[in-house]
Amino acid sequence: MRSATATAHPNIALIKYWGKRDAALNLPAVPSLSITLDGFRTETTVRWGAPADLVQIDGRRVEGKEAARVLAFLDRIDPARPPVEVLSQNNFPAAAGLASSASAFAALALAATAAAGLQPDRQALSVLARQGSGSAARSLWGGWVVWDRGERPDGLDSHAWPLAPADHWDLRLVVAVVSGSRKPVGSTEGMIRTQQTSPLFPAFVAAAPERLRLAIQAVQDRDLAALGEQMERSTYEMHATMISAWPPVRYWQEGTVACLRTVEELRAQGVGAWSTMDAGPNVKVLCEAAQAEGVAERLREHAARVEVLRIGGEPRVE
Ligand code: 2P0
């Protein structure tokens, strides 16, 4: 039996991944850009060669679909693998409003390959993690990360790469948790429904490469207003495709609109703050480090819980 432990961090997309050009391989319809978050993390230990398969998340044995997804991922690493134990721990609650699948599959890719005695490079790990959950491809690096759409049917060119390290730009992400309850439609299902039924989906796909190009330029120039515009437009374009799906994939709640309005009011008062949302009702706000506490204070009027997070999150294997 060999064992390895790895840590990876969640990421938040500024230019959004939504839709798949291949659902089996998790190949995205669009390229995306994210920041990896410091502070929150998933730590996963894999024992390769155990008495029986076992998947445990946050101290609880998981079975059914959730376990099957993890075990199928291990089969991709080695179809003839021995029984494996996966013990995974998140230091952030599900109610923190951050998706855990990105840090989970990035940590699993690192720990499982190390426990299996393999030494893939980070690009190959990104390709592997992507097959567990698309956004996990981006959690193989800390800081500012781009995930290429790629063109190849086998997906070997659809991996992430580091655009800039965490210390390139000292911004904060303020997360306003409007609701910590389980989302009505999961990301994978929501994406597929959107892609199949929204007449706006092709427009979202067509706009994405230019959004990404302008966002990369803004990161390189450390131009928050330019980045903020591309980020907000990507979010609204994505949510427009969701709302125009049938049945609609509508994640917004009353508190969501209140937070979005607050960010616009802050901007009108001269505070450089821009919002983004994912497949849920929570609002995340990108701003200068010095203004983060003031932004958080205003958002607390509408959100049950508000966290100020730093950019960081380099993964590691022990
Ligand atoms: C993102 N999201 O770019 C986008 C924006 C949510 C909205 O990636 O089906 O859990 O496992 O590839 O990565 C959430 O979807 O979906 C996501 P799968 P994933 O962060």
Side-chain angles (χ1 to χ4, degrees):
M1 186 201 68
R2 272 183 309 223
S3 165
T5 297
T7 302
H9 302 255
N11 69 72
I12 295 293
L14 310 185
I15 302 298
K16 302 295 183 182
Y17 152 51
W18 195 252
K20 301 176 195 250
R21 67 178 172 90
D22 182 312
L25 289 173
N26 264 346
L27 296 175
V30 291
S32 55
L33 163 68
S34 61
I35 45 175
T36 306
L37 300 173
D38 208 21
F40 288 159
R41 64 182 172 275
T42 302
E43 185 182 284
T44 299
T45 297
V46 172
R47 296 195 186 109
W48 198 265
D53 284 340
L54 170 73
V55 181
Q56 190 179 298
I57 301 175
D58 292 333
R60 177 180 61 91
R61 181 178 188 149
V62 298
E63 282 168 303
K65 266 193 187 164
E66 209 179 346
R69 187 173 171 193
V70 171
L71 298 173
F73 183 81
L74 300 172
D75 294 341
R76 286 182 188 275
I77 295 172
D78 180 0
R81 68 175 174 82
V84 171
E85 284 181 9
V86 175
L87 309 175
S88 190
Q89 198 77 35
N90 295 300
N91 81 336
F92 54 107
L98 295 169
S100 58
S101 69
S103 52
F105 280 99
L108 183 61
L110 284 160
T113 51
L118 305 171
Q119 291 177 318
D121 62 20
R122 212 108 60 101
Q123 184 173 311
L125 284 163
S126 176
V127 165
L128 176 63
R130 185 203 76 222
Q131 295 171 66
S133 185
S135 52
R138 300 186 305 236
S139 278
L140 267 303
W141 287 270
W144 302 80
V145 180
V146 176
W147 172 19
D148 289 332
R149 174 191 188 276
E151 301 297 331
R152 291 173 57 132
D154 64 8
L156 290 179
D157 57 353
S158 184
H159 54 78
W161 49 273
L163 173 65
D167 63 6
H168 169 71
W169 198 1
D170 193 25
L171 299 183
R172 295 289 183 275
L173 192 75
V174 183
V175 180
V177 182
V178 169
S179 165
S181 60
R182 236 185 134 69
K183 48 190 157 192
V185 183
S187 300
T188 308
E189 186 194 338
M191 260 185 227
I192 289 167
R193 189 194 301 173
T194 300
Q195 193 164 357
Q196 288 175 345
T197 64
S198 168
L200 305 189
F201 186 74
F204 167 74
V205 173
E210 183 67 356
R211 293 264 167 273
L212 178 68
R213 190 184 70 76
L214 293 170
I216 288 175
Q217 189 64 52
V219 172
Q220 285 165 344
D221 297 345
R222 297 190 188 85
D223 182 341
L224 183 54
L227 178 61
E229 177 183 329
Q230 296 310 316
M231 180 180 86
E232 284 203 353
R233 292 178 75 160
S234 177
T235 296
Y236 282 113
E237 285 165 3
M238 176 182 74
H239 278 273
T241 71
M242 296 167 171
I243 291 168
S244 56
W246 193 259
V249 181
R250 195 186 57 235
Y251 293 112
W252 297 39
Q253 296 181 7
E254 284 76 0
T256 307
V257 179
C259 288
L260 294 172
R261 195 183 298 126
T262 297
V263 173
E264 283 171 7
E265 285 167 8
L266 282 164
R267 250 190 352 254
Q269 294 160 8
V271 177
W274 278 264
S275 52
T276 186
M277 290 172 60
D278 293 295
N282 303 323
V283 176
K284 294 124 190 176
V285 181
L286 192 66
C287 63
E288 299 285 355
Q291 298 191 306
E293 277 310 326
V295 169
E297 193 65 31
R298 288 289 307 277
L299 290 169
R300 284 195 183 100
E301 294 165 23
H302 307 291
R305 176 173 175 173
V306 178
E307 305 264 357
V308 177
L309 300 172
R310 286 169 180 266
I311 300 171
E314 201 60 43
R316 66 190 168 86
V317 185
E318 279 163 26

